[in-house]
Amino acid sequence: MIYVILDNGKELAKTALGAEGYVPWEKVKQTGDVIRRLKQEGFRVIALEQDRRAINIRDYRLRHSQKYALIVGYEVRGIDKRILSRCDKIIYIPMFGKKESLNVSVAFGVAGYLLKFKKQTAKSKNIKQSSKIK
Amino acid sequence: MIYVILDNGKELAKTALGAEGYVPWEKVKQTGDVIRRLKQEGFRVIALEQDRRAINIRDYRLRHSQKYALIVGYEVRGIDKRILSRCDKIIYIPMFGKKESLNVSVAFGVAGYLLKFKKQTAKSKNIKQSSKIK
């Protein structure tokens, strides 16, 4: 499920190239409302942003049984500080070279796959662990 | 180092947004020549492509001491079959949902970070292994 904060839907259609027709998404006015709703539904809310409190995504550990929601920001100005303070955790993607940030689609791709693989790894570790106990 | 197969340099400048000024890159005519050169220099050449021989990037194991080169293809038509057959390994990024492929910048971002983190993990495992031996 994708929650989008947008002034209008045109930009999304242009970017999604048809995917907006089958990937569930919802236009929302206040990110804070979405965070509250997600937390109520049991999600752990992670912000993807460069911030002094942020931890390297490489070192972030996920639990297999936990549901996670990932918040990415507007390009250039990023995620608002007030939104960051409401998230359960802030993670960042380490940068190599001179550029200070990744395009938001690249950042989301990198973070999404990494977190998914980490979650799967947590699962397989659990299985190994329980088979050892037996 | 980035090797680019392009008809002209304009597209690169448009995409790189200034990064072409400090990230080393070279325009080359034949991908085959680059692969030969990379292999001679000790690189293991990996193609990122959806192919029946491809293995899931999640399951691809890297050695810390090995140098790797990653080949990504043109969007839409991908990497030429003749080029694929010259690579040491073909890996793919598993897709979720209905879209069949990722934008090449997203795919490179995902693969680049995953392989880098896997290489770092291989290093830390080696260190743990040798400290166990001691």
Side-chain angles (χ1 to χ4, degrees), chain B residues 51-55 81 84-86 89-92:
Chain B
D51 185 86
R52 60 178 175 77
R53 291 163 292 178
I55 67 163
K81 293 284 171 197
L84 283 184
S85 63
R86 294 194 195 179
K89 189 65 79 176
I90 309 168
I91 59 173
Y92 74 92

Side-chain angles (χ1 to χ4, degrees), chain A residues 17 58 94 99 113 120, chain B residues 17 58 94 96 99 113 120:
Chain A
L17 295 172
R58 186 176 177 267
K99 286 270 180 192
Y113 273 99
Q120 288 177 337
Chain B
L17 295 172
R58 186 176 178 268
F96 308 100
K99 286 271 177 187
Y113 272 99
Q120 288 176 335

Side-chain angles (χ1 to χ4, degrees), chain A residues 14-89:
Chain A
K14 190 183 152 201
T15 307
L17 295 172
E20 77 280 8
Y22 52 81
V23 174
W25 69 278
E26 189 183 320
K27 187 177 155 184
V28 284
K29 283 185 182 167
Q30 297 291 335
T31 311
D33 294 343
V34 180
I35 294 176
R36 196 178 308 115
R37 205 201 304 178
L38 288 166
K39 285 185 174 177
Q40 280 168 357
E41 291 172 12
F43 284 88
R44 206 165 151 74
V45 180
I46 313 169
L48 184 64
E49 190 58 84
Q50 290 169 333
D51 185 86
R52 59 178 177 77
R53 291 162 294 178
I55 67 163
N56 189 329
I57 188 168
R58 186 176 177 267
D59 302 322
Y60 184 60
R61 292 194 178 189
L62 289 92
R63 277 177 296 154
H64 177 66
S65 56
Q66 176 66 53
K67 296 186 287 184
Y68 295 91
L70 185 63
I71 295 186
V72 291
Y74 288 99
E75 302 211 84
V76 186
R77 70 175 194 269
I79 303 173
D80 191 281
K81 293 284 172 197
R82 287 166 299 179
I83 298 301
L84 284 183
S85 64
R86 295 195 194 178
C87 294
D88 295 309
K89 190 65 80 176

